[in-house]
Amino acid sequence: MTFQNRMKIPRPDDMHLHLRDGEVLKAVLPESARHFARAIIMPNLQPPIATGAQAAAYRDQIMAALPKGMEFTPLMTLYMTEDMDVEDMAAACHGGIISAVKLYPAGATTNSASGVRNIDNVQHVFEKMEEIGLPLCIHGEVADPGVDIFDREKEFLEKVRRIRLAFPNLKTVLEHITTSESVEFVKEQDSGMAATITTHHMVLNRNHILAGGIRPHYYCLPVAKREHHRKAVLKAAVSGHPSFFLGTDSAPHIDSRKESPCGCAGCFTATNTISILAEIFQRENALDNLADFTSRNGANFYGLPVSDSTLELSHGAPVDYPEKIHTSEGSVTVFDPMMPLHWHVETRN
């Protein structure tokens, strides 16, 4: 492929985004709205977004925090619980309030204590979702403390297989995959199964977190794995395969909560994701597939029109992104990709 130093792509969608609430929301929202047209918004607040009314109120909060002149559409989700009101869920779906439901295994990640402890107890939720065409998003890790943290995603795949066999018409997204086993699992499924891939999991392996000292801003869940897993996930992302698309899982935490004896999991990548991805796809000789990964595959899976506005990317001197985003509660560190970023990004209507 001939190298190009300028390109246009449809304005991307982030199919997995954490915006938090309050002052952090106000500070980090512009970092996503600057480049992204839409985002699937995660519901793991405290308390979780578990009803249609809560989702509508959170959507209103997000839109109220959006700076004047910015265009951004939050696609809301509900937090699955074992006592979920499926009629309320269906009404929120039919009313255009929600775009998906998120399954968190209880205890698997940030603010997941109210999540699902036994998959058997939410079969009625899956049944209703399949009936009304509401997608399921899964944090795919077992929460069993007896399972090594580096094996928890692989161990969860059997649960996903059970869901797929029982509900073959339930559109399902295995989120933020990190292993070669997950890549192969998704490839084996039909068009009703997809996976999101984060920017940071294309960059990090577990050495980056642990070798030479603990680096808390590279700690996320699912945790980064061995190098061969990183390469498998990267290969899937740049391949153009329609079942893989961008979900940054950009997860802001105040530095004091990351840099602590029990630091929070999450990498904040919203600010520089598009430049990082362009750099990665260029290195992999796959720039022609960038728009599929960022802008088309996810929209197609969720039944959305591809954005009619564009991003214009140009290659030049390294981009100077901020190291931190400041909020009244403290600073949030922007993900460091450990490489210079030469792709500049501009929004075009």
Side-chain angles (χ1 to χ4, degrees):
M1 184 178 72
T2 302
F3 175 69
Q4 49 189 316
N5 59 13
R6 297 191 72 85
M7 63 183 300
K8 287 185 180 180
I9 62 173
R11 198 169 170 212
D13 297 313
D14 186 347
M15 294 309 189
H16 183 134
L17 178 65
H18 297 271
L19 288 175
R20 312 305 186 201
D21 53 8
E23 295 303 310
V24 173
L25 165 64
K26 294 176 185 177
V28 303
L29 175 58
E31 303 302 299
S32 288
R34 185 175 296 116
H35 294 159
F36 290 94
R38 298 167 292 214
I40 296 285
I41 307 300
M42 292 297 103
N44 58 331
L45 303 185
Q46 291 183 314
I49 306 300
T51 69
Q54 290 171 330
Y58 187 26
R59 181 182 61 188
D60 291 346
Q61 183 183 359
I62 292 168
M63 296 309 295
L66 187 66
K68 186 177 180 179
M70 282 189 161
E71 295 184 2
F72 178 76
T73 301
L75 304 173
M76 310 309 295
T77 62
L78 292 186
Y79 186 114
M80 185 181 292
T81 63
E82 294 184 6
D83 60 354
M84 193 165 200
D85 183 339
V86 295
E87 296 307 321
D88 175 78
M89 176 189 72
C93 174
H94 294 316
I97 296 171
I98 61 171
S99 297
V101 172
K102 178 65 179 280
L103 190 165
Y104 289 103
T109 189
T110 303
N111 296 343
S112 62
S114 301
V116 175
R117 298 187 180 278
N118 188 336
I119 294 291
D120 292 339
N121 293 339
V122 289
Q123 300 296 297
H124 65 296
V125 182
F126 297 148
E127 182 178 12
K128 190 67 173 182
M129 291 174 67
E130 184 180 49
E131 175 189 327
I132 64 178
L134 183 60
L136 169 67
C137 298
I138 301 176
H139 181 109
E141 291 187 287
V142 299
D144 183 348
V147 177
D148 189 283
I149 193 169
F150 292 104
D151 296 329
R152 292 180 180 183
E153 180 176 309
K154 181 175 67 174
E155 290 291 320
F156 196 87
L157 289 178
E158 185 55 37
K159 296 181 185 292
V160 182
R161 193 181 304 278
R162 285 172 50 200
I163 295 170
R164 296 289 295 155
L165 288 173
F167 305 96
N169 296 316
L170 174 59
K171 295 183 76 172
T172 304
V173 182
L174 188 57
E175 298 200 301
H176 44 45
I177 61 171
T178 65
T179 66
S180 59
E181 290 89 354
S182 291
V183 169
E184 293 308 311
F185 179 87
V186 172
K187 286 182 178 180
E188 292 168 1
Q189 305 297 308
D190 60 26
S191 58
M193 178 85 201
T196 56
I197 295 175
T198 77
T199 309
H200 54 278
H201 284 127
M202 285 185 254
V203 174
L204 299 175
N205 63 37
R206 63 188 191 178
N207 278 2
H208 293 119
I209 309 170
L210 299 169
I214 296 175
R215 294 172 176 82
H217 294 289
Y218 291 156
Y219 169 59
C220 57
L221 288 173
V223 68
K225 308 299 193 299
R226 292 179 181 270
E227 177 66 0
H228 77 271
H229 291 298
R230 184 194 71 83
K231 288 181 176 178
V233 169
L234 172 61
K235 182 178 179 181
V238 304
S239 69
H241 192 295
S243 295
F244 300 104
F245 46 83
L246 176 63
T248 67
D249 192 21
S250 182
H253 291 287
I254 301 303
D255 285 349
S256 61
R257 296 173 190 158
K258 289 287 290 179
E259 302 165 0
S260 73
C262 188
C264 296
C267 297
F268 179 66
T269 59
T271 302
N272 54 4
T273 272
I274 300 302
S275 289
I276 297 171
L277 292 175
E279 200 78 31
I280 291 170
F281 276 65
Q282 176 196 331
R283 292 184 178 195
E284 295 297 316
N285 199 33
L287 279 173
D288 287 347
N289 293 336
L290 179 62
D292 289 336
F293 180 70
T294 63
S295 314
R296 297 192 184 103
N297 293 348
N300 291 339
F301 183 86
Y302 277 97
L304 302 169
V306 176
S307 177
D308 56 7
S309 61
T310 61
L311 292 187
E312 185 169 310
L313 285 71
S314 60
H315 189 274
V319 188
D320 185 20
Y321 284 107
E323 293 182 5
K324 298 179 184 293
I325 302 301
H326 300 287
T327 83
S328 61
E329 297 181 13
S331 296
V332 176
T333 293
V334 175
F335 179 74
D336 176 5
M338 300 173 287
M339 59 182 168
L341 303 176
H342 297 89
W343 286 94
H344 300 245
V345 187
E346 296 180 17
T347 305
R348 302 292 185 192
N349 293 322

